[in-house]
Amino acid sequence: MATNSNDTDSVRADDNKFYVGDEDLLKTGDGTVNEHQMIDAKRLADIQIRIGTLLKTDNVSFLLGAGASVECGGPLLGSIPFEIEKELIESGTKGNRVSNWLKIFYIAAKEVANKADIKIAPGRILQRKQDFKDAQQNPIHVNFEKLLSVLYRWRMALPKNSGRMKLYELPLRDLDNHLLDKCIEYAKRALIKACQLPKNGKEPGLLTFTIMVRKLLTRPLNLKRVNLFTLNYDTLVEQAADAEGIVLLDGFVGTQTRIFRPESYEQDLYFPAETTEGHVHRLDRVMHLYKLHGSISWSMCQPTIENPYGIQANNILNENHTPVLIYPTPSKYGETLGLPYAELFRRFANVVVRPQSALFVIGYGFGDEHVNAIIRQALAIPSFTMVIVDPSPLSEFVTILKSQKDKRVWIAEGKTIGTFSGFVNQVLPDLRDEDIRVKVLSTYRALNPNISQSEE
């Protein structure tokens, strides 16, 4: 069972801060925390009240980035993720032989690192493989997104069906289009595999998503549905919604074959009341989900009259499945202008610029200009409020926002409240009485003595 969000005694102060404009609401008048170095319970309760008030505004949206999936084993692209490199090495080596496409991958890494000490000789790559087996590997501090960008830049310099290029001062100087295509394809597939979450041993991280959607459902029913926007490819939100019996309006319709029909976002769900007056009641367990960069569960198919976008969702992934994704490459911005992404980003822009809107940004580093442009547009609306959740916000975008001391911008940072799990468990309030749920679970347990707490 989840920890009660009002249990503030266990929250250490450390470097946790909660800014509203330039005011840190966790800081006491004399600048100290308390003698036990714990966050003051009353101050944290005050923040929960403020967040609760924000949740009751007419338009509430959440934007989730890669940081929200870390506790489930999701990859961060600031370095080459272990699981991606391991997958590439296993695919690109056989015995003592190293495939040329894998050599290209490490050449690109060396290029991104500005020719730093990255060893790309076959012997060193094979040693890297052994290090993975012995669990002695150190991460290669090369931004994976920039590495993919280098590979794409080289590929764009060559004709579609033929051509070679030389890279001076680097081994394997001759690169041809077929090797580059193979290297890019393996890198993308390794990224897709890394986004199949939660990883073994990381299943508890899924509980945070479950708690989040559970708490968001406590909003009054007379308000608009909560909008969940995610830049992640994984299906953690969908899994959490299934666990809570929530209907996600995600732009897909159908039962056996689910196809993308964005007009379905305009639909809602009601059930008839047990009266003769014909009144209906709004179904409470419904949310809107927008996967702005695609999903590992989406795939392309032949467009038809019934499926004009040629996109369908799959519950079961296989080796032949090719997901529909916006990969972290130089063409990322251009791809958002095409379908279906143009439709999804149009809806994102329309939602956040509505009057009395609140946007919670969690785990996003503000590295995508096409997303930042929409947030800048929303910040031009006087009634807009944004809550940023980041353990250590260092992006230029957030730095500029801090310098403006705008009280419409709230920032939760630190090792506890700046993380996805810390914010959801300790700051995001349950707008209904938590005691009611405790009593329900107690009764349920009494009637079902064999059920385990993990199943709750």
Side-chain angles (χ1 to χ4, degrees):
M1 188 172 122
T3 303
N4 191 327
S5 62
N6 294 320
D7 182 14
T8 57
D9 293 337
S10 62
V11 184
R12 291 189 57 82
D14 296 323
D15 57 349
N16 291 286
K17 297 177 177 62
F18 192 96
Y19 289 102
V20 174
D22 62 339
E23 179 187 3
D24 180 8
L25 299 186
L26 292 177
K27 191 175 183 179
T28 60
D30 58 2
T32 63
V33 184
N34 60 43
E35 60 180 346
H36 302 294
Q37 293 299 304
M38 308 298 284
I39 291 179
D40 183 79
K42 292 183 179 179
R43 292 181 180 275
L44 189 54
D46 176 65
I47 293 173
Q48 288 179 328
I49 292 172
R50 289 173 180 253
I51 295 292
T53 302
L54 204 57
L55 287 176
K56 292 178 182 177
T57 55
D58 200 28
N59 300 292
V60 173
S61 302
F62 278 64
L63 175 64
L64 304 180
S69 300
V70 168
E71 292 182 22
C72 290
L76 293 176
L77 305 184
S79 297
I80 300 177
F82 282 137
E83 60 269 38
I84 290 180
E85 188 186 0
K86 183 178 179 181
E87 177 72 16
L88 292 174
I89 287 179
E90 290 178 351
S91 300
T93 59
K94 186 176 182 181
N96 293 324
R97 181 178 175 275
V98 179
S99 298
N100 283 338
W101 67 262
L102 183 58
K103 296 175 187 176
I104 291 176
F105 178 84
Y106 284 100
I107 290 173
K110 192 176 184 70
E111 182 75 8
V112 173
N114 196 24
K115 300 179 176 59
D117 186 27
I118 295 178
K119 307 301 182 183
I120 55 180
R124 296 304 296 266
I125 295 174
L126 292 173
Q127 180 59 50
R128 188 80 177 157
K129 181 178 182 179
Q130 186 61 44
D131 289 343
F132 275 105
K133 290 182 179 180
D134 297 338
Q136 297 176 349
Q137 74 280 11
N138 294 314
I140 295 180
H141 296 294
V142 169
N143 186 288
F144 185 70
E145 183 169 346
K146 292 181 179 179
L147 191 157
L148 278 181
S149 297
V150 167
L151 292 174
Y152 267 80
R153 187 171 71 244
W154 289 345
R155 183 61 186 89
M156 291 169 64
L158 294 175
K160 182 178 180 180
N161 296 319
S162 63
R164 305 178 71 85
M165 68 183 300
K166 287 185 177 295
L167 296 176
Y168 292 100
E169 300 180 3
L170 288 173
L172 196 69
R173 296 177 183 177
D174 281 347
L175 303 183
D176 63 50
N177 59 322
H178 300 296
L179 283 177
L180 280 169
D181 286 340
K182 186 174 289 188
C183 183
I184 291 170
E185 182 63 23
Y186 273 108
K188 292 195 300 186
R189 287 199 169 274
L191 175 60
I192 292 166
K193 187 173 181 179
C195 292
Q196 296 179 20
L197 306 176
K199 298 297 183 184
N200 290 336
K202 299 288 186 178
E203 292 83 0
L206 180 59
L207 180 60
T208 303
F209 285 85
T210 305
I211 295 172
M212 179 190 70
V213 296
R214 180 190 301 156
K215 288 183 174 181
L216 294 182
L217 287 177
T218 63
R219 272 170 40 93
L221 274 177
N222 62 315
L223 300 175
K224 291 183 174 69
R225 303 289 194 188
V226 173
N227 301 292
L228 293 176
F229 296 95
T230 177
L231 300 168
N232 301 333
Y233 308 138
D234 58 63
T235 60
L236 293 172
V237 173
E238 294 94 316
Q239 293 177 57
D242 283 351
E244 287 295 300
I246 296 170
V247 177
L248 288 176
L249 300 179
D250 60 355
F252 286 81
V253 298
T255 303
Q256 288 188 325
T257 302
R258 303 186 67 241
I259 63 173
F260 185 69
R261 299 299 295 255
E263 63 271 20
S264 64
Y265 282 118
E266 308 300 333
Q267 300 172 359
D268 212 330
L269 299 176
Y270 297 82
F271 62 90
E274 295 180 358
T275 67
T276 58
E277 290 148 2
H279 294 161
V280 294
H281 293 295
R282 197 181 187 200
L283 188 65
D284 59 343
R285 308 184 75 75
V286 177
M287 289 183 181
H288 289 88
L289 175 64
Y290 302 82
K291 307 198 77 169
L292 297 175
H293 283 170
S295 175
I296 60 173
S297 63
W298 297 5
S299 63
M300 296 293 294
C301 59
Q302 185 65 35
T304 63
I305 294 178
E306 293 79 17
N307 185 4
Y309 291 92
I311 298 175
Q312 63 184 32
N314 307 277
N315 294 326
I316 300 176
L317 305 182
N318 56 57
E319 294 183 357
N320 297 322
H321 170 73
T322 303
V324 181
L325 307 175
I326 294 181
Y327 293 99
T329 66
S331 62
K332 179 192 292 185
Y333 178 74
E335 290 184 40
T336 63
L337 303 178
L339 297 174
Y341 305 107
E343 175 66 21
L344 294 170
F345 274 92
R346 181 185 70 81
R347 291 178 180 272
F348 177 41
N350 286 346
V351 165
V352 296
V353 299
R354 291 172 182 166
Q356 303 300 321
S357 292
L359 176 64
F360 291 78
V361 181
I362 306 177
Y364 170 57
F366 293 87
D368 291 337
E369 179 54 33
H370 55 286
V371 178
N372 297 348
I374 293 174
I375 294 176
R376 278 196 293 269
Q377 181 184 5
L379 286 166
I381 308 299
S383 61
F384 176 75
T385 303
M386 179 167 63
V387 180
I388 300 171
V389 180
D390 191 326
S392 181
L394 300 175
S395 69
E396 181 183 6
F397 193 97
V398 178
T399 301
I400 294 173
L401 283 178
K402 276 187 172 182
S403 68
Q404 298 304 305
K405 303 178 182 179
D406 189 339
K407 291 191 177 298
R408 298 175 305 148
V409 178
W410 304 2
I411 303 175
E413 60 180 77
K415 298 176 182 177
T416 302
I417 66 172
T419 65
F420 179 54
S421 61
F423 182 82
V424 168
N425 285 294
Q426 304 295 345
V427 181
L428 190 68
D430 188 330
L431 298 182
R432 293 184 298 217
D433 188 359
E434 181 69 10
D435 290 339
I436 295 176
R437 183 172 181 274
V438 172
K439 292 175 182 177
V440 169
L441 286 174
S442 178
T443 302
Y444 184 67
R445 237 185 268 118
L447 295 173
N448 301 272
N450 294 325
I451 195 164
S452 65
Q453 288 191 357
S454 63
E455 292 177 287
E456 296 171 4

